[in-house]
Amino acid sequence: MTSQVSSPAEQADGTVVGEQRKPAGSKDVRRLDRVIIRFAGDSGDGMQLTGDRFTSETASFGNDLSTLPNFPAEIRAPAGTLPGVSSFQLHFADHDILTPGDAPNVLVAMNPAALKANIGDMPRGAEIIVNTDEFTKRAMQKVGYDASPLDDGSLDGFSLHPVPLTTLTVEALKDFALTRKEAERSKNMFALGLLSWMYHRPTEGTEKFLRTKFAKKPDIAAANIAAYRAGWNFGETTEDFAVSYEVAPAATAFPPGVYRNISGNLALSYGLIAASRQADLPLFLGSYPITPASDILHELSRHKNFGVRTFQAEDEIAGIGAALGAAFGGSLAVTTTSGPGVALKSETIGLAVSLELPLLVVDIQRGGPSTGLPTKTEQADLLQAMFGRNGEAPVPVVAPRTPADCFDAALEAARIALTYRTPVFLLSDGYLANGSEPWRIPEPAELPDLRVRFAQGPNHTLDDGTEVFWPYKRDPQTLARPWAIPGTPGLEHRIGGIEKQDGTGNISYDPANHDLMVRTRQAKVDGVDVPDIEVDDPDGARTLVLGWGSTYGPVTAAVRRLRAAGEPIAQAHLRHLNPFPANLGTVLKGYDKVVIPEMNLGQLATLVRAKYLVDAHSYNQVNGMPFKAEQLATALKEAIDD
C-alpha cells in the first residue's frame, strides 16, 4: 500500500500531545504522539494477519511505524499453551521512530496464554483487552493460573477491558451459513475492527484486502468484513471504551515522495530485482526453503516478467551450486539461506572465491547453533561469514540496518560482487526480515549503474605475438578477472576448485603461484571501495557506541534518550564489515571508550580489538529478541559514567 507524502509545511496540523476533543454526538477523542500495540493469541488465531492489516492501514494513513512479529517455530504449536503464543507488536507515531517500542501501551490478549506470556512487558496503566470467552477453567489451568486473573486483582494496575470477542463475533455472523467454529475464526477481524475504531485507522484497505484474499469464497469474505465492521461498531457504541485516540500523520518524518510499508525480506527482494535491471543481467536465485529466508524465494518467484528465474533446489548445496553455475553463465546469481544453511554452502562459497565469480550469499540470521531458534533473531553469523571456509577465502560482508535499508544493501552487495568478481555476504536477520517500516520508493534515476562488460576477445599478447585470452588477467584498479560467458568463441577456459595459475588460469601446484593467488584474492577484497564511516557526535563526546546491522534502531533510540537527558554520546554504524571503512581505526582512536552492542557474544568487538588494538567493550544479548532502547540507554549511561 502506498501513500503520497507532501512537504511538511503542507501537512503540519499543529497536533498537541494529550489534547482532547469531543465532536457532537461522538465520544471523547484524545490525541497522542505515539502508540505501541501488541496483538497476542494462539498461532492459529491470525495475530500476524491482524497485525499486518493494522500496519498497512497505519502506513496508508501516513504514520511512521516499526513492527515486531514474534511467532513459534512450529506450523501449529499446541493451542492454549505458552509456547504456542504468537504476537505482533506495532509502534506508530506522528514523528520519526526507530524501533517497535519497548513496552506496549495496549495488549490484545485472545486467551490466558497470551495474557500470561505478555503481561510482564506491560507498564502499569496500560490498556489490556482480553477475550473473556477463552478464560475457561481448563484454559487457565493449562498455563498455570489457579484463579482467574480477571477477577483476582492481579490486573488492578492496568486499564482492563473484558470483551467476549468470540461470542460477539458469532452473534455478528449469525445470519451467515457458517458453523460456530467457522464463525469463531473471524474473531481476529472483530478485534481488528475494534482497534481500528480506537485509533481511527482507515477501513477501506482492509475490506478490499479481505475481498481479494477470499475472492473464491465470497461468503467467507463477507463474513470477515461483517466481523470487522461489528468490531468497529462495538467500539463506537459500548460504554467500556469512553475514549478513542488519534495519532496524526508523521508529516515531518519523511522527505516528499511516494511511500509504502515494506518488510525487510520484501525490500531485499525488490533490491535484488532492481540490481539485476541496473546491471542488465537476468536474476537467478538458487535456494532451499528455510525460515526466515523463504519469503525471498516466494517473492522473487512472482516476478518472471522481470527476467527473474527461481530454482527451489533439493537442498542447500544444490541451491548454491546452481547459483554459482548461473554466475558462470552470466547471470546476477543469488542464493538465500539462514542459520545452518550457511554451513552447508561453505564449500561452494570457497569455490566461488577460487573461481572469482560474482555471487550474492544472503544470510537471514536466526538464533543458533544448529537448528536453534528458527523464528527468533540473532547476529551470530558474522565470524562464520568472515572465516567459515577452508583455506584463505576472503569474502566482502555487507549488513543492512533497517527493513527498508535492505533494498539499498542488496544494491550495494550487487555492486561489489559485479565490480570485483567475488562472492559477497549480505547479512540480514530475522528482526529485519519480518519487521516493517515506511519506505520511499526511489526514482529509477536514483539507482546506481551496475552494468558490466563481458570479455569479448583476446586480452593478452604472448612473446611470439599471438593474441590469447587469459581468464585470470586482472583489472589493475579492482584486481577483478574478466567475466567470460561460456560459448563465446576463443574464450574457452578452465573452471574448478584446484588452484589456478596467475593469468593463464591453468592448474598450478607451484608454491610461489599459490602464495601469489592467495595474497591477490585478499588484496582484492581489502581494496573494495567502501565509503568512510560517518560519526554522529554533536557534543564532542568521549564515548562512542558502534553498531552494525539491525542494532541501528535500538542504538539510535537509546542515543536519543541519553542526549535528551543531557548526556553526550557519539554514534557510528557499520554497513561494511569486510573490508572495514578506511577511516574506522582513526575514528575509534578518537574516543576514550567504545561500546559495541551486538546480538551475539561479541563478534564485531573481537574483530575490532584484533585489527585496531582498541579496548572495545561488548554489550551482548542472545535471547532471540532485539534490544530494547531503555535497556541500551541504561548500559550506555553506565559506560559514560564508568
Side-chain angles (χ1 to χ4, degrees):
M1 183 175 294
T2 61
S3 60
Q4 182 76 37
V5 176
S6 303
S7 64
E10 292 173 316
Q11 285 198 344
D13 63 355
T15 297
V16 178
V17 178
E19 176 186 352
Q20 282 189 286
R21 60 185 176 84
K22 187 175 183 181
S26 300
K27 297 183 180 183
D28 288 337
V29 177
R30 179 175 298 167
R31 288 192 171 183
L32 305 174
D33 64 341
R34 67 186 186 96
V35 174
I36 304 169
I37 297 175
R38 184 181 295 176
F39 298 93
D42 270 334
S43 56
D45 282 340
M47 294 297 93
Q48 303 306 314
L49 174 62
T50 304
D52 183 69
R53 290 313 313 159
F54 196 94
T55 299
S56 294
E57 298 297 359
T58 298
S60 70
F61 188 71
N63 296 121
D64 195 11
L65 61 89
S66 180
T67 68
L68 177 62
N70 186 16
F71 44 88
E74 294 82 4
I75 294 175
R76 185 65 173 93
T81 65
L82 293 176
V85 173
S86 173
S87 68
F88 188 104
Q89 184 163 308
L90 166 67
H91 182 192
F92 61 102
D94 66 0
H95 57 276
D96 175 35
I97 58 173
L98 298 155
T99 74
D102 290 355
N105 306 113
V106 181
L107 171 66
V108 179
M110 303 298 282
N111 60 18
L115 177 64
K116 188 160 190 175
N118 293 280
I119 191 64
D121 293 336
M122 305 301 294
R124 309 302 282 180
E127 294 193 78
I128 300 177
I129 301 170
V130 296
N131 180 14
T132 56
D133 289 326
E134 295 297 321
F135 279 72
T136 63
K137 184 176 181 180
R138 183 171 181 272
M140 289 186 290
Q141 288 177 342
K142 190 180 291 187
V143 295
Y145 280 128
D146 296 326
S148 173
L150 308 184
D151 304 320
D152 65 4
S154 61
L155 300 179
D156 287 350
F158 304 96
S159 178
L160 181 65
H161 300 280
V163 180
L165 290 174
T166 306
T167 299
L168 291 171
T169 302
V170 171
E171 176 65 21
L173 303 183
K174 64 182 180 181
D175 294 333
F176 290 83
L178 301 174
T179 65
R180 180 179 177 84
K181 187 174 182 179
E182 290 172 334
E184 288 178 358
R185 290 175 182 160
S186 297
K187 63 181 180 289
N188 64 323
M189 287 297 105
F190 189 100
L192 178 60
L194 173 58
L195 268 293
S196 298
W197 171 83
M198 283 183 65
Y199 292 97
H200 297 250
R201 299 298 91 184
T203 61
E204 296 81 3
T206 293
E207 294 191 9
K208 181 179 179 181
F209 167 82
L210 291 170
R211 291 189 185 96
T212 302
K213 179 177 177 64
F214 298 107
K216 296 181 180 180
K217 299 179 179 179
D219 292 343
I220 299 298
N224 276 280
I225 292 171
Y228 178 62
R229 292 176 176 174
W232 177 284
N233 293 333
F234 177 77
E236 180 69 27
T237 57
T238 183
E239 296 181 0
D240 192 36
F241 294 91
V243 178
S244 62
Y245 304 92
E246 284 185 354
V247 180
T252 61
F254 307 117
V258 178
Y259 285 78
R260 59 157 294 161
N261 182 53
I262 201 164
S263 68
N265 273 351
L266 184 58
L268 202 155
S269 300
Y270 287 174
L272 293 173
I273 296 171
S276 75
R277 303 294 285 185
Q278 293 303 106
D280 197 22
L281 297 174
L283 178 64
F284 180 90
L285 173 67
S287 182
Y288 180 75
I290 184 170
T291 302
S294 300
D295 288 341
I296 302 171
L297 171 62
H298 301 159
E299 181 61 33
L300 290 181
S301 68
R302 300 187 178 106
H303 297 287
K304 299 180 180 64
N305 55 313
F306 287 116
V308 179
R309 293 180 232 175
T310 53
F311 171 56
Q312 180 174 321
E314 65 269 28
D315 56 39
E316 297 280 6
I317 299 172
I320 189 172
L324 185 56
F328 180 59
S331 293
L332 176 59
V334 184
T335 188
T336 54
T337 190
S338 179
V342 179
L344 294 170
K345 295 180 186 294
S346 62
E347 181 181 0
T348 307
I349 297 171
L351 176 59
V353 171
S354 177
L355 296 180
E356 300 189 46
L357 287 171
L359 174 67
L360 301 186
V361 181
V362 178
D363 177 15
I364 312 297
Q365 300 167 93
R366 71 188 203 187
S370 188
T371 308
L373 304 172
T375 60
K376 309 303 180 185
T377 195
E378 208 164 88
Q379 286 183 300
D381 293 353
L382 175 56
L383 293 183
Q384 183 179 29
M386 288 286 292
F387 307 117
R389 293 163 295 283
N390 63 295
E392 295 287 346
V395 173
V397 181
V398 175
R401 64 185 189 178
T402 68
D405 188 50
C406 289
F407 178 87
D408 295 318
L411 284 164
E412 175 65 357
R415 177 191 73 84
I416 295 172
L418 294 171
T419 302
Y420 296 90
R421 309 287 196 269
T422 177
V424 176
F425 257 101
L426 179 57
L427 288 183
S428 180
D429 61 42
Y431 172 40
L432 296 182
N434 296 317
S436 63
E437 66 177 353
W439 171 58
R440 186 182 70 84
I441 302 172
E443 297 295 331
E446 299 173 25
L447 301 179
D449 184 352
L450 301 179
R451 287 174 294 181
V452 298
R453 289 175 58 89
F454 293 115
Q456 299 297 325
N459 62 355
H460 184 76
T461 303
L462 299 177
D463 292 341
D464 63 2
T466 305
E467 292 186 338
V468 297
F469 174 66
W470 275 16
Y472 281 83
K473 185 170 185 177
R474 302 178 183 279
D475 181 294
Q477 297 298 319
T478 64
L479 299 181
R481 78 175 186 90
W483 194 358
I485 301 301
T488 306
L491 303 191
E492 297 84 358
H493 60 284
R494 294 178 176 85
I495 61 170
I498 298 178
E499 185 63 280
K500 311 296 187 300
Q501 184 182 52
D502 182 41
T504 69
N506 295 330
I507 291 174
S508 174
Y509 293 97
D510 178 65
N513 178 79
H514 178 60
D515 183 272
L516 174 64
M517 294 296 279
V518 168
R519 293 180 186 276
T520 300
R521 289 189 289 260
Q522 183 65 58
K524 180 171 66 171
V525 173
D526 291 342
V528 170
D529 181 25
V530 302
D532 283 348
I533 191 169
E534 297 180 358
V535 182
D536 176 18
D537 184 6
D539 303 312
R542 304 315 306 160
T543 299
L544 171 71
V545 55
L546 177 67
W548 72 277
S550 66
T551 61
Y552 174 78
V555 167
T556 306
V559 166
R560 287 181 179 179
R561 292 189 184 197
L562 290 172
R563 289 177 182 169
E567 298 288 346
I569 187 167
Q571 179 187 3
H573 201 80
L574 286 167
R575 163 171 282 178
H576 297 91
L577 297 153
N578 193 31
F580 286 133
N583 68 330
L584 180 58
T586 302
V587 167
L588 295 175
K589 290 176 181 177
Y591 291 89
D592 295 338
K593 298 174 186 174
V594 177
V595 182
I596 303 180
E598 298 181 79
M599 292 187 293
N600 56 47
L601 295 182
Q603 296 187 15
L604 175 60
T606 297
L607 296 173
V608 166
R609 289 177 189 137
K611 185 173 180 64
Y612 301 108
L613 302 181
V614 171
D615 186 21
H617 300 273
S618 286
Y619 184 74
N620 309 117
Q621 174 176 296
V622 282
N623 62 5
M625 298 295 290
F627 284 113
K628 293 183 178 180
E630 182 179 3
Q631 162 196 4
L632 278 178
T634 300
L636 295 175
K637 177 65 166 63
E638 292 174 354
I640 294 172
D641 294 340
D642 186 14

